[in-house]
Amino acid sequence: MSEHNDEPAKAGSTDSKDSIDDYIERCSCGYDRRHPMVTPKPTYTAWGTFWVTLMGVSATPIRIDFICRRCDERFDFIVNREELRNYL
């Protein structure tokens, strides 16, 4: 007899960093990505990190995570190339 699990999957239980389960539009404080208390944290490729840190050249990030400075919660992200160009 097979067992059936009716429990919903927990956020972060998948290996994908871009899982839709991890997507929350607002942090626990109620702030969205446009609020002044929210900081965008860019992630670059190895070459992008080289150009940004050592050469001082702007590089397009591969991902932007939004982190609330009040509750320190990562709650939203961008991986769309067109939107990422706004964060050069």
Side-chain angles (χ1 to χ4, degrees):
M1 181 179 224
S2 64
E3 295 182 22
H4 188 281
N5 190 356
D6 289 332
E7 293 182 32
K10 294 179 183 175
S13 63
T14 61
D15 293 332
S16 173
K17 291 179 83 174
D18 298 334
S19 173
I20 194 68
D21 293 338
D22 295 336
Y23 177 77
I24 302 170
E25 198 167 310
R26 294 181 179 271
C27 70
S28 300
C29 303
Y31 303 149
D32 65 357
R33 69 167 74 167
R34 291 169 201 82
H35 194 277
M37 286 297 290
V38 174
T39 303
K41 181 181 179 246
T43 302
Y44 298 98
T45 63
W47 275 112
T49 302
F50 168 78
W51 287 109
V52 170
T53 58
L54 297 178
M55 305 302 280
V57 177
S58 295
T60 304
I62 58 172
R63 179 184 171 110
I64 299 281
D65 290 314
F66 293 94
I67 302 170
C68 176
R69 289 182 285 181
R70 185 173 176 198
C71 65
D72 202 33
E73 181 180 4
R74 180 184 72 93
F75 63 91
D76 197 357
F77 63 91
I78 297 173
V79 292
N80 183 334
R81 288 184 184 241
E82 288 78 32
E83 288 184 65
L84 288 172
R85 293 175 201 256
N86 296 329
Y87 292 89
L88 287 177

